[in-house]
Amino acid sequence: CIAFMFSQQDGNGKVSRVIRIGTRKSQLACIQTDSVAEKLKGLYPDVHIEIGDNLFTALERNEVDLVVHSLKDLPTALPPGFTIGAVLKRENPHDAVVLHPKNTGKSLDTLPDKSVIGTSSLRRAAQLKKRFPHLEFKDIRGNLNTRLKKLDEKDDFSAIILAAAGLRRMGWESRVSQILGPEDCMYAVGQGAIAIEVRAKDKDILEMVSVLHDPNTVLRCIAERAFLRRLEGGCSVPVAVHTEVKASQLYLTGAVYSLDGSDSLKETMQTSIASDNKVEERVDEWVQRVGVTANNMPGPAQDASEKLGLDLANLLLSKGAKEILTVARELNDAQ
Ligand code: DPM
């Protein structure tokens, strides 16, 4: 059995630990992985970090110690043996409009009738179809580089919709012409947050990465993920959320949509996430909530956040969310 961290001796005989990070090869994945590596180097200067473009299964095979993901791409239930050991401070979680250069100065409102907008997200298409009925929506696939190229170099799309956070990380902020607020388009569960996946039994690595948890982001994302899990939504369902933390209250708005957005359900609930200042007794038990391990944070606030997501999903289910999602899924599968 290979230990998850092995030691390396430098020229002076000093022993340092090695952390191996696996990443996918896309530019966004590399940028996100590098930013996490930089943070870990800052926190643990003696640790030697290796980054390899190992396969995904590398974590399972003990070939790497952690993998960096966009949280929104991680299922609400991880395979057994894995956990999300850190959820980093969320960037702008909203979606953004990127225009074809010929449309500079326009907005979704002012684009001509039948302009074609590129997105493969059912969530984005459903909300925007309803809100901007003069526009048409078509699938656009591939990684961010491919999509931007398809937009700029062809005449197929008037604009595309992408997450503001990904655009910023890629250094393409200048291409953002419009940020979509919740009245136009609510975001995906976990959007804009980076997650670090580790093996659940690697307590040393878990402890090391746990300091990267951003408490508000963790609570918001636990609520969002609990909401999605209860709705049995995968990564491709017309489900959207909006969360806010204000004065020790966590607010969660969640919605489900039919594919064309004509049918929808949306509700908001809130819960207290106040935690008294007394340092909680550290529990030895490493609890996971919707895949997230954050035992350096108050448990009651995490429990309240998870319950908020569950309660909101139950409220929507009682109003017919299941039917809306079932029809949407069937229609989408048939297409
Ligand atoms: C998921 C969706 C998309 C990604 C579905 C959704 C967008 C797919 C598309 C679950 N994952 O958002 O409704 O536009 O066709 C993805 C992106 C990022 C993480 C790119 C993006 C970067 C932003 C982040 C793809 N995953 O959404 O523009 O860290 O949240």
Side-chain angles (χ1 to χ4, degrees):
C1 162
I2 313 169
F4 53 80
M5 285 184 283
F6 50 95
S7 303
Q8 175 172 289
Q9 255 181 335
D10 66 16
N12 306 318
K14 194 171 161 246
V15 175
S16 67
R17 297 157 113 184
V18 176
I19 299 181
R20 297 153 304 158
I21 307 183
T23 184
R24 271 176 285 188
K25 284 183 188 167
S26 78
Q27 197 186 344
L28 180 64
C30 292
I31 288 171
Q32 295 185 164
T33 301
D34 286 344
S35 78
V36 167
E38 285 308 312
K39 289 195 168 78
L40 289 172
K41 276 181 203 164
L43 284 165
Y44 310 106
D46 290 340
V47 168
H48 180 82
I49 293 180
E50 288 173 2
I51 301 177
D53 51 8
N54 305 53
L55 286 172
F56 243 92
T57 49
L59 193 60
E60 186 170 11
R61 294 198 307 262
N62 267 289
E63 290 165 13
V64 299
D65 306 306
L66 56 98
V67 183
V68 178
H69 302 271
S70 295
L71 179 60
K72 86 160 164 171
D73 293 327
L74 285 180
T76 52
L78 297 184
F82 302 99
T83 189
I84 297 166
V87 181
L88 279 61
K89 190 172 169 55
R90 187 178 225 172
E91 297 187 46
N92 186 342
H94 299 283
D95 290 319
V97 179
V98 179
L99 291 170
H100 190 285
K102 72 174 185 213
N103 293 319
T104 303
K106 294 238 167 27
S107 66
L108 290 186
D109 258 324
T110 60
L111 277 172
D113 273 8
K114 308 230 180 307
S115 291
V116 176
I117 311 302
T119 179
S120 308
S121 156
L122 302 182
R123 171 187 64 80
R124 289 171 181 151
Q127 293 180 83
L128 297 174
K129 276 176 186 168
K130 179 78 194 300
R131 177 79 178 76
F132 303 97
H134 68 294
L135 301 175
E136 285 181 5
F137 292 83
K138 293 224 165 79
D139 271 352
I140 182 165
R141 304 216 172 254
N143 64 35
L144 292 184
N145 307 66
T146 312
R147 288 184 195 209
L148 210 64
K149 233 179 145 150
K150 280 183 183 166
L151 172 69
D152 288 350
E153 294 176 8
K154 292 190 187 171
D155 227 1
D156 297 351
F157 300 102
S158 298
I160 58 176
I161 314 293
L162 294 170
L167 287 163
R168 207 194 69 78
R169 290 181 201 132
M170 296 288 280
W172 296 339
E173 239 174 346
S174 64
R175 290 299 306 268
V176 173
S177 67
Q178 195 180 351
I179 297 278
L180 298 172
E183 56 302 330
D184 288 334
C185 189
M186 297 207 299
Y187 43 82
V189 165
Q191 185 160 311
I194 288 175
I196 303 179
E197 186 187 21
V198 301
R199 282 179 296 275
K201 57 173 192 272
D202 282 355
K203 303 304 182 218
D204 285 4
I205 285 281
L206 253 173
E207 196 115 27
M208 286 178 87
V209 301
S210 69
V211 299
L212 292 173
H213 270 311
D214 175 66
N216 279 355
T217 307
V218 170
L219 298 179
R220 290 169 66 186
C221 290
I222 285 178
E224 294 173 15
R225 286 169 62 80
F227 174 71
L228 184 63
R229 183 184 58 190
R230 178 70 184 98
L231 292 175
E232 293 164 38
C235 62
S236 153
V237 281
V239 169
V241 292
H242 183 86
T243 46
E244 257 172 298
V245 174
K246 257 188 284 182
S248 296
Q249 290 284 311
L250 172 61
Y251 298 82
L252 169 64
T253 301
V256 303
Y257 306 89
S258 62
L259 289 189
D260 64 1
S262 62
D263 206 1
S264 66
L265 286 167
K266 177 160 115 180
E267 294 292 341
T268 301
M269 289 177 81
Q270 70 189 77
T271 191
S272 167
I273 49 164
S275 52
D276 38 23
N277 276 337
K278 79 168 166 40
V279 179
E280 271 189 61
E281 220 177 287
R282 266 185 91 93
V283 270
D284 244 1
E285 183 192 358
W286 296 71
V287 210
Q288 283 196 41
R289 294 175 184 85
V290 274
V292 179
T293 302
N295 73 332
N296 58 337
M297 284 177 46
Q302 294 182 63
D303 288 338
S305 304
E306 185 173 12
K307 183 169 181 300
L308 177 66
L310 185 70
D311 288 349
L312 187 71
N314 283 333
L315 178 61
L316 290 190
L317 287 169
S318 75
K319 298 185 174 219
K322 177 117 197 156
E323 293 66 33
I324 292 179
L325 289 178
T326 304
V327 173
R329 218 174 265 130
E330 282 168 4
L331 265 174
N332 187 50
D333 289 348
Q335 273 165 17

